Amino acid sequence: MLAVAVITVSLFSLGWILLGSNDIPVKADPATLAKGKALYDDICATCHGMNGNGDGVLAANLQTKPRNFTTGAFKFRSTLSGQLPTDEDLSITIKSGTHSTAMTTFETFSPEQIWALVQYIKTFSPRFSDSNEYPLKTISYGNEIPFTRESIAKGRKVYVEMQCNKCHGDAGEGNGPSADSMVDNWDDPIQPSDLTNPSALKFATSPAEIFRTFATGLDGTPMPSYREAMSDSEMWNLGNYIYSLQTHQGYYEPIKAEEIK
Ligand code: HEC
Ligand code: HEC
C-alpha cells in the first residue's frame, strides 16, 4: 500500500492555498470531502453527473460536453502533458470557468468552498491518489519576450514550421485541412479553435496563457504539447503572434496560403 499524506484540520487553518502540493497525493479529511460533496451535488452534478462522469441532466444539450472527471485528463493545467492538474489549477478553473462554454465562473465561492470542491472532484479519478503520478512538474516559461513587431514576425515563422496551420488554418481561423471530423478522448466532436476570435477562446487570452496552452497541450483533445519541440524564445514569439491574431493588433496580415509550402 502506498503511503499518502493526510492533511489535518489544524493544517487547514494555515491557509488552503499552501496545501496544494505538487509532490504528494493530498488526501482531504472527511469533513472537507463531505462539504465538497454537498456543494458538488447541489451545483455541479447537473452538468458533470453525480458520479463525475460528465453525464448530468444538462449534458446532452451542451455542445461542449462537461468534463468527465473519472479519467483525470484536464485541459487547463500548469503541468506537463499527460500529468494531473495541481490543486491550484483546479481552483482557478472553478473560480474563472472556461470562457465560451457552459462552465461558468464561481467567483462568489469562499476559498474553503473551492478547496472542498477541488478535493471532492479529485475523488472521482483514482489517479489523484496514486503516488506514481507525483511529483507533478510545472512548465517553465523562461524570459518573456515583449509584444513587438519583430517578435510577431518571428512567431509567424514558428507557426508555419510547427504546422499549427494544419489544424488551425493558414490565417488561424480554425479551418485547417485536418480540422474536420476530430473527436476528443471522450468521443465528442471537437474543433480546432478560431484563434482570431477572442469570444470563442476558452483559456488563452494573453501571451502567457497562450504560451501555457501550447506548452502543456490540452489533455483529452487533439491539441498537442510543444514544450519539448521549441526553445523559450520560439514559444514567446509564437505566443505573441497568436495574441496579435486574437487582439487584431496584428502588425501583420494573417498568413497567406501561398506562403505555406
Ligand atoms: C452548466 C453546466 C456546468 C456546470 C453547472 C458546471 N460545469 Fe464544470 N464544465 C462544464 C463544461 C461544459 C466543461 C468543459 C469545458 C471544456 O472542455 O472546454 C466543464 C469543465 C470543468 C472542469 C475541467 C476544466 C479542464 O481543465 O479540463 C472542471 C474542473 C469543472 N468543470 C469543475 C466544475 C465544478 C467544481 C462545478 C460546480 C461548482 C462545475 N464545474 C459546474 C459545464 C459545467
Ligand atoms: C492536431 C490538431 C492541432 C494542432 C496541430 C494544433 N492545435 Fe491548437 N487546438 C486544437 C484543438 C482541437 C483545440 C481546441 C481544444 C478545445 O476546444 O478544448 C486547440 C486549441 C488551441 C488553443 C486554445 C484556444 C483557447 O480556447 O484557449 C490555442 C492557443 C492553440 N490551439 C494554439 C495552437 C498552436 C500555436 C499550435 C502550433 C504550435 C497548435 N495549436 C497546434 C488542435 C490542434
Side-chain angles (χ1 to χ4, degrees), residues 39-48 58-59 62-69 73-77 85 89-91 93-94 97-106 109 114 117-118 121 184 186 190 202-203 218-219 221:
L39 278 167
Y40 180 91
D41 289 355
D42 243 20
I43 300 163
C44 321
T46 47
C47 287
H48 291 283
L58 295 182
L62 297 175
Q63 198 188 354
T64 301
K65 298 299 175 201
R67 180 71 57 263
N68 174 340
F69 295 129
F74 288 85
K75 296 181 184 179
F76 178 88
R77 305 177 330 280
D89 293 339
L90 291 171
S91 71
T93 304
I94 299 169
T98 305
H99 312 296
S100 84
T101 77
M103 179 60 201
T104 176
T105 59
F106 292 98
F109 285 174
I114 292 188
L117 278 164
V118 166
I121 62 177
D184 65 17
W186 302 279
I190 192 164
K202 294 181 174 175
F203 318 101
L218 297 177
D219 285 3
T221 83

Side-chain angles (χ1 to χ4, degrees), residues 39-223:
L39 278 167
Y40 180 91
D41 289 355
D42 243 20
I43 300 163
C44 321
T46 47
C47 287
H48 291 283
M50 289 302 277
N51 300 318
N53 45 18
D55 65 350
V57 288
L58 295 182
N61 296 326
L62 297 175
Q63 198 188 354
T64 301
K65 298 299 175 201
R67 180 71 57 263
N68 174 340
F69 295 129
T70 62
T71 61
F74 288 85
K75 296 181 184 179
F76 178 88
R77 305 177 330 280
S78 59
T79 55
L80 300 185
S81 177
Q83 291 200 333
L84 295 168
T86 65
D87 289 356
E88 199 184 351
D89 293 339
L90 291 171
S91 71
I92 290 171
T93 304
I94 299 169
K95 267 185 286 196
S96 324
T98 305
H99 312 296
S100 84
T101 77
M103 179 60 201
T104 176
T105 59
F106 292 98
E107 282 162 322
T108 54
F109 285 174
S110 68
E112 289 76 14
Q113 286 175 314
I114 292 188
W115 166 252
L117 278 164
V118 166
Q119 297 315 316
Y120 183 65
I121 62 177
K122 285 163 61 178
T123 64
F124 291 127
S125 171
R127 289 182 60 194
F128 284 103
S129 48
D130 179 351
S131 56
N132 294 319
E133 297 276 353
Y134 299 82
L136 301 176
K137 292 203 184 70
T138 50
I139 53 149
S140 59
Y141 287 84
N143 293 325
E144 180 166 357
I145 293 178
F147 182 70
T148 60
R149 184 189 176 91
E150 191 197 353
S151 170
I152 293 166
K154 288 181 178 162
R156 178 167 118 154
K157 288 208 179 75
V158 180
Y159 184 81
V160 177
E161 277 161 20
M162 290 292 150
Q163 305 191 339
C164 310
N165 57 306
K166 290 265 157 68
C167 289
H168 290 283
D170 294 345
E173 290 166 341
N175 54 0
S178 311
D180 289 340
S181 60
M182 275 185 184
V183 290
D184 65 17
N185 285 14
W186 302 279
D187 272 343
D188 293 314
I190 192 164
Q191 281 286 311
S193 317
D194 176 354
L195 302 171
T196 69
N197 178 5
S199 60
L201 295 168
K202 294 181 174 175
F203 318 101
T205 54
S206 68
E209 288 167 320
I210 296 166
F211 182 120
R212 195 213 49 238
T213 300
F214 55 71
T216 62
L218 297 177
D219 285 3
T221 83
M223 172 62 204

